[in-house]
Amino acid sequence: MAGNWKMYKNAAETTRFFEQFRGLVERSEHCEIVICPTCLSLPAAVAAAQGSRIGIGAQNLFWAKEGAYTGEVSGPMIRSAGASHVIIGHSERRQYFGETNESVLKKTLAALEAGLTPIVCVGETLEQRETGRTETVIVDHCQGCTSGLTADQFAKILFAYEPVWAIGTGKTATPEIAADAHRVVRNHVRGVYGQASADQLRILYGGSVKPDNIKKLMAQPEIDGALVGGASLDPISFASIVNF
Ligand code: PGA
């Protein structure tokens, strides 16, 4: 279960969140928990999560290790701040910051090299869904974002299926729609890396996941977890998603 905090919570707010959240998920051993704050709040999150089972992730990285790239943060920097995960290719980054399959692939390789677990996001827009291109877009994202990865590298990544029309809109994909999309991802992976890789791949669903819809989503065998935006900002709400 991963929380994507987007551009919310400074360091003090991050610390406060953990004071409450830690106790609420202390006994939640059925899943991994990851929280992805802004880069500036990473050290506060890492400190506040110390000694717990909660992993910390970044929301983006740049593919070079260092250099003249004003405004960017590298994988080794994120790793040295104590993070274990990084979200890559979130649709908001594709939409507002020109992220493409090519940049997502470069960033995925950089994350792996830095020892971070990439959470690679794929998913179609409303227009693509309404014009019957959902499957093509998902396969294109999966293919483009991981092309050339060895089976060993691929085994270290997580996918998040996030239909753009469901993000922050309150419109959750039905569990069946989400499961169908996850099957498209898994079939593609089976074709490229074989049955064992497809079976072990974890695919998170993201898009308006809330405490009141998580149970039905997780009842789908195809859905291995959730990437949660808005509902991860409140400790009680995210804890009840974790403890579905
Ligand atoms: P949401 O965001 O849960 O607020 O829809 C999900 C995401 O963008 O990862």
Side-chain angles (χ1 to χ4, degrees):
M1 294 292 180
N4 171 13
W5 280 1
K6 311 193 179 186
M7 203 171 71
Y8 292 99
K9 290 196 199 293
N10 62 24
E13 290 162 338
T14 298
T15 306
R16 268 205 299 283
F17 173 94
F18 277 88
E19 278 163 11
Q20 207 181 348
F21 183 67
R22 272 185 74 139
L24 299 171
V25 297
E26 227 163 29
R27 293 197 199 85
S28 316
E29 288 179 359
H30 59 285
C31 68
E32 279 181 53
I33 308 167
V34 178
I35 291 188
C36 304
T38 69
C39 261
L40 272 181
S41 295
L42 278 180
V46 167
Q50 199 148 38
S52 76
R53 296 179 51 256
I54 308 164
I56 304 300
Q59 299 172 13
N60 179 36
L61 82 172
F62 190 64
W63 56 74
K65 287 195 179 84
E66 59 181 8
Y69 301 105
T70 303
E72 295 295 331
V73 176
S74 74
M77 289 168 184
I78 291 167
R79 188 78 191 100
S80 72
S84 52
H85 290 68
V86 57
I87 299 171
I88 304 178
H90 189 278
S91 68
E92 283 152 17
R93 296 213 55 86
R94 292 181 191 255
Q95 206 176 337
Y96 305 127
F97 304 101
E99 201 85 76
T100 61
N101 285 348
E102 290 70 33
S103 64
V104 175
L105 174 58
K106 281 166 118 169
K107 290 178 176 194
T108 300
L109 287 164
L112 290 170
E113 199 178 330
L116 295 163
T117 301
I119 303 173
V120 177
C121 302
V122 303
E124 79 289 356
T125 61
L126 185 59
E127 195 246 329
Q128 289 164 335
R129 174 162 285 270
E130 284 176 342
T131 51
R133 286 182 291 150
T134 300
E135 192 163 334
T136 316
V137 171
I138 294 174
V139 169
D140 172 69
H141 282 177
C142 292
Q143 167 66 32
C145 296
T146 59
S147 107
L149 256 60
T150 64
D152 279 355
Q153 287 172 321
F154 187 81
K156 296 193 177 105
I157 76 169
L158 303 175
F159 268 119
Y161 167 63
E162 297 212 312
V164 177
W165 48 270
I167 296 175
T169 57
K171 285 187 205 151
T172 326
T174 62
E176 292 73 25
I177 289 179
D180 280 348
H182 285 212
R183 255 187 296 277
V184 171
V185 174
R186 223 178 280 282
N187 284 340
H188 167 75
V189 170
R190 186 176 299 114
V192 179
Y193 292 100
Q195 185 72 45
S197 298
D199 289 345
Q200 69 90 46
L201 172 68
R202 285 178 294 167
I203 310 171
L204 314 182
Y205 167 74
S208 299
V209 174
K210 308 281 178 222
D212 61 5
N213 59 27
I214 185 68
K215 234 190 174 76
K216 286 205 172 124
L217 287 162
M218 291 306 293
Q220 294 284 337
E222 270 295 344
I223 300 179
D224 303 309
L227 180 54
V228 186
S232 71
L233 290 166
D234 175 70
I236 295 175
S237 143
F238 192 43
S240 64
I241 289 174
V242 168
N243 298 322
F244 69 93

